[in-house]
Amino acid sequence: MLYNLSRRSRYLVMVTNNRVVDTGKAELTHSKHEARALWHLNTVLVFYGKPYNTQIFSMKIQCEELSAGEGVAIFLN
């Protein structure tokens, strides 16, 4: 999902099932896409941070779709 969201952001295309879908228009990246990307990035950071005993500092990111109740430990709203 993180890969697909980054493709959407970079190329302004819709990506479904790892395939680019031609909608004939530019697909914008909205705050809900930003929140999904941050949530998936957080999952990757937590996954790799634990077994390698890596210290990852939390940071504040403003995203209207991202709330502290979503279980995001690294990125705080």
Side-chain angles (χ1 to χ4, degrees):
M1 278 305 295
L2 186 57
Y3 174 71
N4 289 340
L5 288 165
S6 69
R7 288 176 68 190
R8 178 187 180 106
S9 172
R10 264 180 283 149
Y11 305 117
L12 302 177
V13 295
M14 181 180 292
V15 181
T16 305
N17 297 328
N18 293 328
R19 301 183 72 163
V20 173
V21 178
D22 185 11
T23 60
K25 62 178 183 161
E27 296 292 333
L28 301 178
T29 303
H30 300 283
S31 59
K32 68 179 182 180
H33 301 110
E34 178 188 9
R36 286 183 198 153
L38 290 171
W39 189 84
H40 289 292
L41 177 60
N42 183 74
T43 302
V44 170
L45 291 173
V46 169
F47 178 81
Y48 284 107
K50 287 180 182 177
Y52 296 109
N53 200 21
T54 304
Q55 185 177 9
I56 301 170
F57 297 100
S58 58
M59 58 187 76
K60 291 188 178 188
I61 294 180
Q62 296 296 326
C63 177
E64 63 187 46
E65 298 281 333
L66 190 64
S67 67
E70 290 185 58
V72 179
I74 302 300
F75 296 108
L76 304 173
N77 191 9

